[in-house]
Amino acid sequence: MDEKSRRIPATAPAERPTLKTIAYMTGLGITTVSRALKDAPDIGSDTKERVRLVARQLGYQPNRAGVRLRTGKTNVIALVLSIEQELMGFTNQLVQGISEVLGGTQYHLVVTPHSFEKDQMVPIRYILDTGSADGVIISRIEPDDPRVRVMTERNLPFVTHGRTDMGIGHPFHDFDNEAYAYQAVEQLVKRGRKRIALLAPQSRFSYHIHSRIGFERGLVDFQATEVSMGRTTTETSLDEIRAYAERMSRLPEPPDGIISLSGSSSIAMIAGIEAAGRRLGKDVDLVSKQSAEFLNWIRPEILTVTEDVRHAGRELAKAVLARIDGVAPELLQSIDIPVWSAMGPTSRAARAE
Amino acid sequence: MDEKSRRIPATAPAERPTLKTIAYMTGLGITTVSRALKDAPDIGSDTKERVRLVARQLGYQPNRAGVRLRTGKTNVIALVLSIEQELMGFTNQLVQGISEVLGGTQYHLVVTPHSFEKDQMVPIRYILDTGSADGVIISRIEPDDPRVRVMTERNLPFVTHGRTDMGIGHPFHDFDNEAYAYQAVEQLVKRGRKRIALLAPQSRFSYHIHSRIGFERGLVDFQATEVSMGRTTTETSLDEIRAYAERMSRLPEPPDGIISLSGSSSIAMIAGIEAAGRRLGKDVDLVSKQSAEFLNWIRPEILTVTEDVRHAGRELAKAVLARIDGVAPELLQSIDIPVWSAMGPTSRAARAE
DNA sequence: AAATTTACCTGTAACGTTTCAGATTTTTAC
DNA sequence: GTAAAAATCTGAAACGTTACAGGTAAATTT
């Protein structure tokens, strides 16, 4: 009775409205309200209108736990990431792109990282066992990918950022790394380069193979030769990449063209090359893919292709949503082609030097 | 009866176990099982042991929707991000750090971006209205931040990446930008620099103020003068930063020292400085904060402080979890101090040139 | 006018969990 | 040997939702 001992303090938020609230306010049954909000055919149109009005007025939002418990629908998209992902803005862009699409829907984005390559399956199994997502987005795809196999078997909608080679028609979005590598060779040969090195990802990834194929096709078509990068990949530590690049640059016949699949690796490459006294754009040309526009700020001479990861995020999100809605996997496959950067504002800086 | 028309195909996953399953297998009541798994004091210790054994055997995981519906506990931490966040790996690192901590718990990480500064409150209100998270992590903090106010009022556990000045004791983790700016001036003066410019974030952010304070204190203590950056901030587009840096570098008395609060801005600064024909380390020194080690790969001469955003992520996650567990906000406040990079491997590259 | 159809609405049950208020058995106290 | 206390266990109810099986009244058919 005392003012201070009230259950509900003055600042308490209004109780969250439920179907019951709306049912009470409209004088209808809970079922009717539920069906009205779903635009079911057996509800009168004026009733629907009335229910919708009240629902809007109250700011009704369906309780996700209720829906999930009853129907199993989580309204969650899981983004499964390896923590070894590229540093330079990749995840950021991907998340932004996905969110752009999910923003207009009831879906939430849950980010689920896993530590090591061995644990690849852990988050997938967790999602399968607990039913904690309606759809999954994975990256760092391998040609024969166990994650793809198990999600296909268990009928969990998913999309891959990258392609597999498993004879399973699944949704994917990919960047055309084959075309990139091929065109990169072409660009280098056009600049008179003949001895070319390819810094590719680890061989287990699908895009290693794609870039190798494009690269080798390019070597043949444009008549250049390969200089080996040894065991160095884009996953190698930057220090080691730098060291390797320096050693390679001091060879009697060093490469005069280098193609890199990763922006951060390129930074280390440049350091190594220049440490050996070779000059970019003069002694050697570098072609690099990047996920954020930054290499040309540093060295305008670099030929760059910026993979639009944000766009990839949008495509991936749209694909997985469509898959959840039952669209055939074959209709949810897309590939981005490389776009070569025109020399940007920094080219002026270069000329001024 | 026909093999093909069975309800449960050979590949069907075993039904997910629930408390009911365990109750049935142990011959106990559902309540008992529930209490046993929570280690409640009114359950016999041998019963507990038995229940735990069966639960482990079955791979029992509590149904999150059930828990959430009944208790309101979501087991979700929401990371609220502005899409204008720094490009170079910031989000990535933050997410990784948070996940590292959440990985050992029942909590999931939901990433909730919002588009514009105007919409700052939208995701917060959504979370409050729908109870969709047990805790919230926000960044880009303002001295008087409406998000902090409303979450405090409504008693929603949260932690800020940055400090406020509202007289509200709330959990935060921050980088000591004041110390950074102060020490940056010191470093520059030590190198004989006297006319110093500060590229700070927009003035509405708390860390603008902190860096200004440290900067101005440094100017006084070490007897240097300021060269204005005009309206240029770390949020200005890279093109404009470059243009401003170039113009500034062509002044009759250009700055001989520049302090930058953002790694990507520094790239644009460098481009502008060099476009004007000035040389880093010779005519002008640059001090920069960065969230990933990359500036010294590019220009070894830059004095860098790398903010360990991954560590920040861990601290933020730990703080918000502790806050959920009722730990006093005042005990959940931490500040990282600047760590100046020793010249790394690239310094060799620099010397070799 | 009766039978049938149509249009519209609704109560019950269930999803998996926890809280509450007991219930039963065993132990302790006297 | 009985009363009280302690130790263990449990069913019912509720969180918010939707599927199901039906109910009622009006409109249509015959």
Side-chain angles (χ1 to χ4, degrees):
Chain A
M1 288 94 201
D2 163 12
E3 280 293 300
K4 306 243 160 161
S5 64
R6 278 203 231 180
R7 284 297 185 81
I8 299 168
T11 54
E15 273 299 292
R16 180 171 177 200
T18 67
L19 290 178
K20 202 165 157 188
T21 322
I22 301 174
Y24 177 77
M25 300 199 71
T26 54
L28 296 163
I30 293 176
T31 304
T32 311
V33 173
S34 173
R35 313 224 63 218
L37 290 173
K38 308 206 118 48
D39 203 20
D42 65 345
I43 305 293
S45 51
D46 37 352
T47 303
K48 283 182 189 169
E49 205 44 70
R50 209 152 55 87
V51 168
R52 279 196 280 256
L53 177 71
V54 175
R56 200 159 349 108
Q57 202 85 60
L58 292 174
Y60 169 73
Q61 305 240 192
N63 180 305
R64 310 188 118 232
V67 175
R68 180 164 170 178
L69 185 56
R70 177 64 234 245
T71 65
K73 173 128 216 210
T74 62
N75 285 299
V76 162
I77 301 298
L79 172 62
V80 177
L81 289 174
S82 156
I83 63 164
E84 291 105 17
Q85 217 99 37
E86 153 147 26
L87 291 168
M88 291 297 168
F90 179 89
T91 303
N92 200 355
Q93 308 272 353
L94 200 66
V95 168
Q96 303 292 359
I98 294 167
S99 305
E100 246 176 77
V101 173
L102 297 190
T105 73
Q106 280 302 309
Y107 286 90
H108 285 183
L109 175 63
V110 172
V111 177
T112 314
H114 59 101
S115 350
F116 299 106
E117 294 303 337
K118 263 184 68 182
D119 298 340
Q120 248 194 133
M121 291 297 290
V122 173
I124 306 294
R125 263 199 282 271
Y126 176 84
I127 293 166
L128 282 166
D129 290 350
T130 63
S132 55
D134 296 335
V136 178
I137 300 174
I138 60 174
S139 60
R140 298 173 59 98
I141 306 304
E142 306 178 11
D144 182 12
D145 200 304
R147 300 169 295 176
V148 169
R149 193 179 310 288
V150 65
M151 287 194 283
T152 304
E153 269 168 12
R154 303 274 292 269
N155 239 331
L156 173 62
F158 69 96
V159 59
T160 60
H161 187 211
R163 277 163 285 172
T164 60
D165 182 25
M166 303 165 70
I168 294 176
H170 61 82
F172 67 75
H173 177 79
D174 203 356
F175 175 81
D176 193 341
N177 288 289
E178 179 179 341
Y180 163 69
Y182 182 82
Q183 293 169 17
V185 175
E186 182 179 16
Q187 292 291 329
L188 288 172
V189 171
K190 208 186 273 176
R191 278 165 179 72
R193 308 307 185 181
K194 285 286 167 191
R195 297 185 312 282
I196 305 179
L198 175 70
L199 181 60
Q202 283 181 4
S203 64
R204 72 154 167 289
F205 297 119
S206 297
Y207 75 123
H208 165 92
I209 300 173
H210 296 143
S211 59
R212 285 295 318 174
I213 290 175
F215 179 63
E216 286 168 19
R217 204 155 52 74
L219 290 183
V220 172
D221 286 5
F222 304 113
Q223 305 187 42
T225 57
E226 173 168 14
V227 177
S228 169
M229 287 292 306
R231 309 197 66 72
T232 314
T233 71
T234 51
E235 278 81 26
T236 309
S237 80
L238 295 191
D239 281 330
E240 290 178 65
I241 292 176
R242 196 205 64 82
Y244 192 91
E246 181 171 352
R247 237 178 301 133
M248 186 172 69
S249 299
R250 292 193 198 280
L251 291 176
E253 289 218 291
D256 55 10
I258 298 173
I259 301 170
S260 163
L261 269 284
S262 129
S264 45
S265 307
S266 297
I267 292 187
M269 291 273 335
I270 296 166
I273 291 166
E274 296 182 347
R278 307 197 88 218
R279 288 153 308 164
L280 270 179
K282 306 276 267 176
D283 309 310
V284 56
D285 268 314
L286 175 62
V287 182
S288 181
K289 198 175 78 166
Q290 60 186 351
S291 52
E293 290 275 4
F294 73 103
L295 286 174
N296 287 121
W297 288 102
I298 295 163
R299 294 287 186 279
E301 304 83 7
I302 303 173
L303 293 161
T304 57
V305 167
T306 305
E307 183 177 351
D308 189 343
V309 180
R310 188 169 187 139
H311 173 250
R314 285 193 297 264
E315 292 299 303
L316 289 165
K318 281 191 280 183
V320 74
L321 292 185
R323 187 72 197 101
I324 290 169
D325 288 343
V327 176
E330 289 75 15
L331 302 176
L332 302 172
Q333 305 176 332
S334 58
I335 299 179
D336 278 354
I337 57 170
V339 178
W340 293 82
S341 300
M343 282 285 158
T346 48
S347 59
R348 264 176 293 147
R351 275 184 242 115
E353 270 173 7
Chain B
M1 288 97 196
D2 162 11
E3 281 291 300
K4 307 242 159 158
S5 64
R6 280 202 230 181
R7 282 300 185 77
I8 300 168
T11 54
E15 272 300 291
R16 179 170 179 199
T18 68
L19 290 179
K20 203 165 155 187
T21 321
I22 302 175
Y24 177 77
M25 300 199 70
T26 54
L28 295 163
I30 293 176
T31 304
T32 312
V33 174
S34 172
R35 310 224 68 216
L37 289 173
K38 309 207 116 50
D39 202 21
D42 64 346
I43 305 293
S45 52
D46 37 353
T47 303
K48 282 183 190 169
E49 206 42 70
R50 208 153 55 86
V51 168
R52 278 196 281 254
L53 177 71
V54 174
R56 201 159 348 107
Q57 202 84 57
L58 293 174
Y60 170 73
Q61 306 241 191
N63 181 305
R64 308 187 119 231
V67 175
R68 180 162 170 181
L69 184 56
R70 178 62 233 246
T71 65
K73 172 127 215 210
T74 61
N75 286 298
V76 161
I77 301 298
L79 171 63
V80 178
L81 289 174
S82 156
I83 63 164
E84 292 106 16
Q85 217 99 35
E86 153 148 23
L87 291 168
M88 293 295 169
F90 179 89
T91 303
N92 200 356
Q93 309 272 353
L94 200 66
V95 168
Q96 303 292 357
I98 295 168
S99 304
E100 246 176 78
V101 173
L102 298 190
T105 73
Q106 281 302 309
Y107 286 89
H108 285 183
L109 174 63
V110 172
V111 177
T112 313
H114 59 100
S115 351
F116 300 106
E117 294 302 336
K118 263 184 67 181
D119 298 339
Q120 248 194 135
M121 291 298 288
V122 172
I124 306 295
R125 262 199 283 270
Y126 175 84
I127 293 166
L128 283 165
D129 289 350
T130 63
S132 55
D134 296 335
V136 178
I137 301 173
I138 59 173
S139 60
R140 297 172 60 96
I141 307 303
E142 305 178 12
D144 182 12
D145 200 303
R147 299 168 296 174
V148 169
R149 192 179 311 288
V150 65
M151 288 193 283
T152 303
E153 269 169 12
R154 303 274 292 270
N155 238 331
L156 172 62
F158 68 96
V159 59
T160 59
H161 187 211
R163 277 163 285 172
T164 59
D165 181 25
M166 305 165 69
I168 294 176
H170 61 82
F172 65 76
H173 177 80
D174 203 357
F175 175 83
D176 193 341
N177 288 290
E178 178 178 342
Y180 163 70
Y182 183 81
Q183 293 169 17
V185 175
E186 183 180 15
Q187 292 292 329
L188 288 172
V189 171
K190 207 186 275 176
R191 280 167 179 70
R193 308 307 186 180
K194 285 285 168 192
R195 298 186 310 283
I196 305 180
L198 175 70
L199 180 59
Q202 283 181 4
S203 64
R204 73 154 166 289
F205 297 119
S206 297
Y207 74 123
H208 164 92
I209 299 171
H210 297 145
S211 60
R212 286 294 317 175
I213 290 174
F215 178 65
E216 285 167 19
R217 205 154 50 75
L219 290 183
V220 172
D221 286 5
F222 305 112
Q223 305 188 41
T225 57
E226 174 170 12
V227 179
S228 168
M229 287 291 308
R231 310 196 68 71
T232 313
T233 70
T234 52
E235 278 81 25
T236 309
S237 80
L238 296 190
D239 281 329
E240 288 177 66
I241 292 176
R242 196 204 64 82
Y244 192 89
E246 182 172 351
R247 235 178 303 132
M248 187 172 69
S249 299
R250 292 193 197 281
L251 290 175
E253 289 219 292
D256 55 10
I258 299 172
I259 301 170
S260 163
L261 270 284
S262 130
S264 45
S265 306
S266 296
I267 291 188
M269 292 273 334
I270 296 165
I273 290 165
E274 296 183 347
R278 307 197 88 215
R279 288 154 308 165
L280 270 179
K282 305 278 265 176
D283 309 309
V284 56
D285 268 314
L286 175 63
V287 182
S288 181
K289 199 175 77 165
Q290 57 186 352
S291 51
E293 288 277 3
F294 74 104
L295 285 174
N296 287 121
W297 288 101
I298 294 163
R299 293 286 186 281
E301 304 83 7
I302 303 172
L303 293 162
T304 57
V305 167
T306 305
E307 183 179 351
D308 189 344
V309 180
R310 187 167 187 141
H311 172 251
R314 284 192 297 264
E315 292 300 303
L316 290 164
K318 282 191 280 185
V320 74
L321 292 185
R323 188 69 196 102
I324 291 170
D325 288 344
V327 176
E330 288 75 15
L331 303 176
L332 302 171
Q333 304 176 333
S334 58
I335 299 179
D336 279 353
I337 58 170
V339 178
W340 293 82
S341 301
M343 282 283 157
T346 47
S347 58
R348 263 177 294 148
R351 275 185 243 114
E353 273 173 5

